[in-house]
Amino acid sequence: MRATGLKAVALAEEHFDAHFPGNPVLPGVCLLEGLAQTAGVLIERTVEGRQLALLTTVERARFQAFARPGDQIRLDVEIESLDAGIARVRATATVADKTVASARLTFKLVSPDHLIPPVYQPFWRQMIDTWLGRYLELSDE
């Protein structure tokens, strides 16, 4: 299973104030976060929402080039393995077909019941659906 996400880098993003003045570079942790979030969506869709993916390990993280304001980052993730409680994902971020970052991500899969009290689960599910672009349909009534 594979998924692709896109991130448009804007100069208005807060971290550019200090990273680095006069030479804005997207922090590597932001690249890893984008890859992890894209992988999280892929895993959520793959397990049909039955489990939550919690990032536990980042291995072999490599940063080969910079992402700067005005760039569009392509976030490609592929599930290498998905077992009972663990998902391993290969992740690559590219700008204009040039690799800027890559890593292998490991996620622990847990039941939502272990993290979210039952009374909050409907709100959590609505938030996840909105995050994934699945919006509630409004009626005219």
Side-chain angles (χ1 to χ4, degrees):
M1 301 291 265
R2 296 175 187 219
T4 298
L6 297 175
K7 159 83 174 131
V9 183
L11 183 58
E13 294 179 39
E14 223 173 83
H15 36 265
F16 290 129
D17 293 342
H19 202 269
F20 297 97
N23 186 24
V25 175
L26 188 69
V29 69
C30 295
L31 292 168
L32 288 176
E33 179 182 356
L35 291 167
Q37 286 189 17
T38 304
V41 170
L42 175 61
I43 294 167
E44 195 276 344
R45 296 262 172 115
T46 301
V47 300
E48 298 174 345
R50 293 184 309 271
Q51 295 177 304
L52 297 176
L54 304 177
L55 180 65
T56 58
T57 308
V58 177
E59 298 175 289
R60 300 183 209 143
R62 302 285 184 265
F63 302 95
Q64 293 97 329
F66 296 121
R68 300 182 181 278
D71 287 343
Q72 183 179 58
I73 304 168
R74 181 183 168 112
L75 306 163
D76 292 305
V77 296
E78 181 178 5
I79 295 175
E80 292 181 329
S81 65
L82 182 63
D83 301 322
I86 300 290
R88 287 188 176 78
V89 176
R90 185 176 54 235
T92 305
T94 57
V95 172
D97 295 326
K98 180 178 181 182
T99 299
V100 294
S102 61
R104 185 173 187 222
L105 310 174
T106 303
F107 296 84
K108 179 175 177 57
L109 304 179
V110 298
S111 167
D113 296 337
H114 285 102
L115 295 176
I116 302 163
V119 68
Y120 295 116
Q121 287 188 16
F123 304 106
W124 172 81
R125 176 50 47 201
Q126 181 179 353
M127 184 270 307
I128 292 295
D129 286 343
T130 301
W131 182 60
L132 294 172
R134 298 186 298 235
Y135 302 102
L136 295 175
E137 292 201 23
L138 301 175
S139 66
D140 292 332
E141 298 174 16

